[in-house]
Amino acid sequence: SGTTNPLLKRDGITHVLTTSYAIPLGENNSLTPQIQYEIGDIDGKSNSYDSWGGSLTHTFIDKSMMLATTVSAVKSEYDHSHPIFNKTRDEEIYGVSSTLTWFNPLGYENFFVNVMGAYAKTDSNIDFFDSTDTMAGMGVGYRF
């Protein structure tokens, strides 16, 4: 679509500034708040944006497992009116994700198993860009 209408080009660069800090909550728990600012410097003006957001991660870890759960929210404002929808796009993304890691499963030293799941909802003022995303995964790894 960027070939037929240059305002829809998606070539560009994003710049992200993120800061976070882990706050210990006793021996096995921590909370990590994070804030981020992102600039999408995209050739197609209707796809250039500024966004800001944050997340909060709770982590529990002991000898046999680690559980990390994150909730997040991001607000994005686009620079120019979209040439097809005749509106300047604004959107909010909300999400939650969790990863469980099992260390040395069934006594296998240096192995680990990950189970992951995530859900995100994008709410845009242009209905075409609304979305709901779900993800699940599992992996096995070995620590050298």
Side-chain angles (χ1 to χ4, degrees):
S1 61
T3 305
T4 58
N5 188 338
L7 294 174
L8 294 175
K9 277 190 168 182
R10 295 181 185 192
D11 295 332
I13 297 173
T14 59
H15 307 276
V16 181
L17 177 64
T18 303
T19 186
S20 64
Y21 182 76
I23 302 166
L25 299 175
E27 186 176 327
N28 299 75
N29 292 283
S30 66
L31 275 180
T32 306
Q34 175 180 301
I35 56 172
Q36 111 177 9
Y37 176 68
E38 181 174 347
I39 298 171
D41 186 13
I42 311 298
D43 291 342
K45 301 253 186 237
S46 68
N47 286 311
S48 294
Y49 63 90
D50 291 291
S51 73
W52 54 94
S55 65
L56 183 64
T57 301
H58 173 259
T59 304
F60 169 82
I61 187 167
D62 69 11
K63 291 180 182 181
S64 65
M65 64 168 280
M66 179 176 70
L67 176 64
T69 302
T70 302
V71 293
S72 60
V74 176
K75 169 82 171 148
S76 299
E77 294 181 349
Y78 288 75
D79 293 346
H80 295 326
S81 180
H82 195 282
I84 294 173
F85 300 109
N86 295 317
K87 285 184 185 177
T88 301
R89 187 165 135 204
D90 291 316
E91 63 188 23
E92 297 165 350
I93 303 171
Y94 304 98
V96 61
S97 65
S98 195
T99 301
L100 175 67
T101 303
W102 179 20
F103 304 117
N104 304 320
L106 305 173
Y108 290 100
E109 290 292 318
N110 297 321
F111 279 89
F112 59 92
V113 174
N114 285 326
V115 178
M116 304 158 266
Y119 172 85
K121 171 96 172 109
T122 301
D123 185 22
S124 176
N125 67 325
I126 301 173
D127 291 342
F128 177 80
F129 294 104
D130 286 348
S131 68
T132 301
D133 303 301
T134 55
M135 185 276 300
M138 182 177 169
V140 177
Y142 183 82
R143 239 182 357 251
F144 292 95

